[in-house]
Amino acid sequence: QQQAKQKVIFDHDGGVDDLLSLMLLLTMEHIELLAVTITPADCYLSDATLSTLKILNKMDRTDVLVAKGSIHGVNPFPADWRAQPKICNALPDMILQPVNLNQISELPADQVIASLLEQHQQVDILMTGPCSNLTACLAKHPELKSHIQQVIWMGGAVDVPGNVAMHNHDKSAEWNAFWDPMATQALIESGLVVKMISLDATNCLPVDMTFLAQLAQQRAYPLSHLAGQFWATTINSIPSYEYTYFMWDVLATSVLGVAADAIEFSAIELAVSITEPNAGQTYRAKGSGNEILVATGANKQLVLDYVLRQFKG
Ligand code: AGV
Ligand code: CA
């Protein structure tokens, strides 16, 4: 007898590790991917859509619905960062890859999420960019909350510094939380089961050369080869925290497949600032009633071994 698959809607924002997360998610046989929705945050929407379609096509998933987000946060990402993943579509393994434009929904992402939640129960929402598409959907259709089993979100920084280095900011916030602070607040106050994969946990996973060498050892597997090319584009020489590339979104995606003891969660009551100079800061607020399952640590070796194993798929 076959076990029912876990239904997932994946919302990403087109960064290199968002695209790696899509690859990783597609290797998980116990997951039924209902749709991929895109937030135009740390990317340009046209690049992110093209990369998404190419990866889906490559992995024989031309059946999966793709929807573009129409919501824009108040604090745009730096243009250089948004342009970075363009390189993914120029890689030799990607540039010739056909796409199926019929996969793209005519509806914007938040409406696609709403219509899927109407049709399904016990859906997991995985988000590796700002959470605006989901919170917009739930603001319009609060009754659909009961159709969500859990939300897994890469965002926030609780007991560690943030990664926003902007003129109007004190560095206390993580970027996905800062892009649309009101959406972050709505998510944290939603009452949903939220697993927040914050910088507290992702800080232990910088993209490192040892791991890339291990991945290269198994490059006879097409997916390992492709992933290695993607990660190589994230290695740069500026030795500053704001520029170091971590496996942020890949850790969040791993939550759906890795052994339960690989990621440590703590239930913490949080609040979010929505004003300068700390907009998007997610801080401990005992008594707020907004209990969030914050990823406070990860077993680096277990996570990396899991990723290496999946990319042999
Ligand atoms: O803050 C982490 C989030 C993740 O969802 N993103 C990148 C990941 O996709 C923003 C970000 C922080 N630092 C960055 C980022 C950097 N150095 N380059 C590009 N994006
Ligand atoms: Ca992202």
Side-chain angles (χ1 to χ4, degrees), residues 209-229 308 311-312:
M209 295 299 256
T210 312
F211 169 74
L212 293 191
Q214 278 180 292
L215 189 62
Q217 295 283 357
Q218 57 180 57
R219 69 189 181 282
Y221 297 95
L223 209 49
S224 293
H225 187 271
L226 186 66
Q229 309 261 333
L308 287 168
F311 282 158
K312 286 185 180 177

Side-chain angles (χ1 to χ4, degrees), residues 5 7 16 19 23 34 42 49 63 88 102 108 117 122 132 142 157 159 168 219 241 257 261 263-264 285 289 306:
K5 292 192 177 188
K7 295 172 183 182
V16 177
L19 302 176
M23 291 181 211
L34 299 180
D42 198 7
T49 306
D63 57 306
C88 295
N102 297 324
L117 288 177
Q122 296 210 296
S132 319
D159 297 324
N168 61 340
R219 69 189 181 282
Y241 179 81
D261 60 348
I263 304 172
E264 173 196 300
Y306 173 71

Side-chain angles (χ1 to χ4, degrees), residues 187-205:
L187 178 67
I188 282 179
E189 295 180 354
S190 67
L192 290 164
V193 175
V194 178
K195 288 185 179 152
M196 191 170 104
I197 315 307
S198 62
L199 300 183
D200 302 71
T202 63
N203 277 345
C204 75
L205 284 160

Side-chain angles (χ1 to χ4, degrees), residues 10-276:
F10 178 35
D11 188 289
H12 74 71
D13 73 335
V16 177
D17 67 329
D18 296 83
L19 302 176
L20 283 155
S21 297
L22 175 59
M23 291 181 211
L24 181 61
L25 186 62
L26 292 172
T27 66
M28 298 181 194
E29 282 171 6
H30 65 290
I31 298 295
E32 178 187 349
L33 184 55
L34 299 180
V36 179
T37 58
I38 305 172
T39 300
D42 198 7
C43 67
Y44 289 106
L45 190 54
S46 54
D47 297 330
T49 306
L50 194 58
S51 315
T52 300
L53 292 172
K54 288 192 171 201
I55 290 167
L56 287 169
N57 203 309
K58 216 176 233 319
M59 298 181 72
D60 297 320
R61 294 307 304 273
T62 52
D63 57 306
V64 176
L65 188 64
V66 174
K68 301 182 194 181
S70 59
I71 298 161
H72 292 264
V74 291
N75 298 305
F77 273 90
D80 286 351
W81 286 8
R82 298 184 69 184
Q84 179 192 25
K86 265 183 193 300
I87 196 169
C88 295
N89 291 331
L91 294 171
D93 285 350
M94 289 283 282
I95 194 161
L96 300 173
Q97 182 64 45
V99 297
N100 172 20
L101 296 175
N102 297 324
Q103 280 178 270
I104 304 176
S105 172
E106 284 165 18
L107 296 174
D110 58 308
Q111 288 183 39
V112 166
I113 295 172
S115 92
L116 287 169
L117 288 177
E118 273 158 19
Q119 297 165 52
H120 298 274
Q121 296 283 347
Q122 296 210 296
V123 178
D124 283 2
I125 311 276
L126 170 66
M127 298 184 290
T128 57
C131 58
S132 319
N133 287 328
L134 177 66
T135 56
C137 162
L138 295 177
K140 246 191 186 163
H141 310 275
E143 75 284 359
L144 292 176
K145 271 186 200 174
S146 63
H147 295 219
I148 296 174
Q149 175 172 265
Q150 62 171 347
V151 173
I152 299 165
W153 180 49
M154 192 284 129
V158 180
D159 297 324
V160 297
N163 59 12
V164 171
M166 299 296 273
H167 300 287
N168 61 340
H169 212 280
D170 65 5
K171 277 198 172 185
S172 59
E174 181 281 331
W175 256 105
N176 289 342
F178 173 62
W179 192 74
D180 187 348
M182 302 287 283
T184 304
Q185 186 180 48
L187 178 67
I188 282 179
E189 295 180 354
S190 67
L192 290 164
V193 175
V194 178
K195 288 185 179 152
M196 191 170 104
I197 315 307
S198 62
L199 300 183
D200 302 71
T202 63
N203 277 345
C204 75
L205 284 160
V207 179
D208 73 55
M209 295 299 256
T210 312
F211 169 74
L212 293 191
Q214 278 180 292
L215 189 62
Q217 295 283 357
Q218 57 180 57
R219 69 189 181 282
Y221 297 95
L223 209 49
S224 293
H225 187 271
L226 186 66
Q229 309 261 333
F230 273 54
W231 263 310
T233 72
T234 71
I235 300 289
N236 69 36
S237 55
I238 305 177
S240 154
Y241 179 81
E242 295 86 54
Y243 293 93
T244 302
Y245 212 89
F246 292 84
M247 298 172 76
W248 302 280
D249 299 350
V250 171
L251 180 62
T253 305
S254 303
V255 170
L256 288 166
V258 78
D261 60 348
I263 304 172
E264 173 196 300
F265 289 98
S266 312
I268 302 176
E269 285 181 287
L270 294 183
V272 186
S273 166
I274 53 167
T275 52
E276 290 182 21

